[in-house]
Amino acid sequence: MVRLFTLFSAIVLFAAACTPVETSLAPDGKPLPKLYRIRGGDEGKIQFRMLDSINSLRQASGAQPLQLNAQLNAAAATHSRDMSIQNRPWHFGSDGSSPIDRVRRVGYTGGLVGETISETFETELETLGAWMEQPDTRRVILDPTGRNLGFSWFQENNGKIWWTLVVGS
């Protein structure tokens, strides 16, 4: 009886493994991406995951690690929300402010190395990967004069994420 049960179980498991799995495909034939939804309590996890990833890249390039800075985080958060309101990724605020203006407004006294932005549905690490492929954004992330990091985002109800990364010296 035990042998019969074991044989029957093995056949059922084998049949289940052979059942095709349905995946949604885009018009190009590739699987549709899953929506990356950021939950309320994930802010610290995401910021430190990004900080750790950037510092690994910086270490490999010989640059010193960055430290998260609350003032730069605030400047990044403000700009991410503002880009969403404007519905365009660019470095100027709806009030005409530049990245330098925004870091000064939050009281940051260091210099601005640069600001990196993105409008996407991708995770923070996928976004970092895209930034590292572009010479101008890669230069900001790996700049050896960088000392501080601000990183934040705004996610719309449809899932679109507006990422902002600010590096200060």
Side-chain angles (χ1 to χ4, degrees), residues 39-165:
R39 296 183 309 240
D42 289 347
E43 182 174 354
K45 292 177 190 174
I46 291 170
Q47 285 179 323
F48 282 105
R49 189 165 41 238
M50 180 62 94
L51 177 67
D52 289 344
S53 299
I54 287 173
N55 282 338
S56 293
L57 293 166
R58 289 177 62 83
Q59 181 181 16
S61 73
Q64 72 177 16
L66 300 176
Q67 299 292 321
L68 270 179
N69 180 280
Q71 294 163 323
L72 294 180
N73 284 342
T78 300
H79 191 56
S80 291
R81 181 175 290 276
D82 191 44
M83 285 190 297
S84 171
I85 291 167
Q86 296 182 71
N87 196 33
R88 62 179 169 178
W90 74 323
H91 294 283
F92 293 96
S94 57
D95 61 355
S97 63
S98 70
I100 293 171
D101 297 329
R102 289 189 293 277
V103 300
R104 292 288 174 247
R105 282 182 193 162
V106 297
Y108 184 73
T109 57
L112 175 70
V113 172
E115 177 183 75
T116 303
I117 58 173
S118 181
E119 166 197 18
T120 185
F121 290 88
E122 296 178 329
T123 70
E124 67 279 0
L125 296 182
E126 290 169 321
T127 301
L128 176 58
W131 284 338
M132 291 302 289
E133 291 177 7
Q134 300 301 316
D136 55 340
T137 52
R138 180 184 179 93
R139 195 173 313 112
V140 169
I141 293 166
L142 299 180
D143 189 302
T145 64
R147 301 293 178 263
N148 297 298
L149 172 71
F151 179 66
S152 195
W153 60 89
F154 178 78
Q155 186 168 35
E156 297 178 354
N157 290 335
N158 66 4
K160 184 189 294 182
I161 307 170
W162 300 86
W163 299 106
T164 304
L165 181 143

